[in-house]
Amino acid sequence: MPDIRHTPKAPTRAQRLAAGERIDAHVHDDHQIVYAGSGVLAVTTDAGTWFAPGNRAIWVPAGTVHAHRAHGHLQLHLVGLPAGDNPLGLDAPTVLAVGPLLRELIVAYTHDPDDRSPERRRLLAVLRDQLRASPQQPLRLPTATDPRLAAVCAILHADPSDPRTLAALGTATGASERTLSRLFRTEFGMTFPQWRTQSRLYHALRMLADDHPVTTVAHRCGWSSTSAFIDVFRRSFGHTPGTHNRRSP
């Protein structure tokens, strides 16, 4: 990422981002929790893109160069933690489930960043406890390093509804199905169908944040039917796509 800005202290604050607005590549000496109370947040590093709707947060470890992008109108909540304070023990960006209590703790803690009261310190202690109990979620699109794998990913990012099999995509990009299957497992740690579902969910979240109808999203993201899309979305995020934009706190 070019033009990397170094901001030693990770800020704790709430801010709004308009649809499509970005925070360019930067790095902190602190850890940071990034939560979108509304809209969909994408955090991108050299290793890939992590994405989170309103019931997920993203853990960004200290020293990680990252950029943010808003999909839909984003109510962004940022919680900075010192480099020596890592309640999750994680050294890579990770998506975390955010239940109702953790959500309210994050919103309350970012409401007045200048507050130094004992009450706010206790709030942070409970927030850290809730973080430790938060399940990790595999909402990530890794960045391919092999050019053959990158070519396949680019095709499907450009058109997530493309129905071609891995063999057909291999023919289009000059690689065998066996080679591509191996690359998906070794580089991404997932199979091609698993990656394709992750990619389609990412595009679906972006379109829902921009208020596209559920039927349109299902079609453009490659699901065979609206009901199939709703089923996958509910299993992934715990609610239906039709209620997605009404779940802001």
Side-chain angles (χ1 to χ4, degrees):
M1 294 181 179
D3 303 320
I4 298 167
R5 174 168 46 89
H6 180 218
T7 306
K9 185 175 177 61
T12 294
R13 63 170 182 256
Q15 67 183 98
R16 293 184 182 273
L17 295 180
E21 190 173 351
R22 300 171 184 266
I23 299 176
D24 292 333
H26 59 287
V27 62
H28 308 297
D29 297 336
D30 294 341
H31 305 298
Q32 191 171 57
I33 303 153
V34 189
Y35 170 67
S38 63
V40 174
L41 169 70
V43 172
T44 299
T45 75
D46 287 340
T49 297
W50 287 257
F51 52 100
N55 59 354
R56 303 288 190 272
I58 301 176
W59 169 262
V60 182
T64 302
V65 178
H66 61 289
H68 305 304
R69 181 172 180 179
H71 298 291
H73 293 280
L74 202 68
Q75 180 63 45
L76 188 64
H77 297 271
L78 305 170
V79 177
L81 294 174
D85 184 4
N86 187 340
L88 296 166
L90 296 171
D91 58 4
T94 306
V95 176
L96 305 169
V98 175
L101 177 56
L102 180 56
R103 179 190 67 202
E104 296 303 328
L105 288 166
I106 292 173
V107 171
Y109 189 72
T110 57
H111 176 68
D112 185 4
D114 296 324
D115 183 2
R116 298 292 184 268
S117 66
E119 291 81 6
R120 190 162 181 271
R121 288 196 295 272
R122 290 194 292 270
L123 188 68
L124 178 59
V126 179
L127 192 159
R128 293 172 77 258
D129 288 341
Q130 287 297 305
L131 276 177
R132 279 193 289 266
S134 296
Q136 299 177 28
Q137 302 289 331
L139 299 178
R140 175 195 173 207
L141 286 177
T143 297
T145 58
D146 188 286
R148 296 164 294 183
L149 185 58
V152 170
C153 294
I155 289 172
L156 297 179
H157 280 314
D159 180 10
S161 68
D162 190 322
R164 281 180 285 181
T165 63
L166 189 58
L169 290 165
T171 300
T173 56
S176 71
E177 179 182 13
R178 183 175 180 178
T179 295
L180 289 173
S181 179
R182 174 179 56 80
L183 288 171
F184 270 103
R185 292 194 303 271
T186 57
E187 286 209 17
F188 293 170
M190 63 182 83
T191 65
F192 170 64
Q194 289 171 331
W195 178 90
R196 179 176 242 168
T197 298
Q198 290 282 90
S199 176
R200 286 175 171 176
L201 285 171
Y202 172 59
H203 286 283
L205 285 170
R206 293 171 59 182
M207 293 182 67
L208 290 169
D210 290 331
D211 293 322
H212 290 279
V214 171
T215 301
T216 300
V217 175
H219 173 70
R220 291 186 183 176
C221 292
W223 272 277
S224 58
S225 67
T226 302
S227 60
F229 167 52
I230 291 171
D231 181 59
V232 172
F233 193 96
R234 183 192 289 114
R235 284 190 280 110
S236 298
F237 300 115
H239 57 271
T240 65
T243 64
H244 178 71
N245 286 348
R246 301 197 295 272
R247 296 181 64 82
S248 302

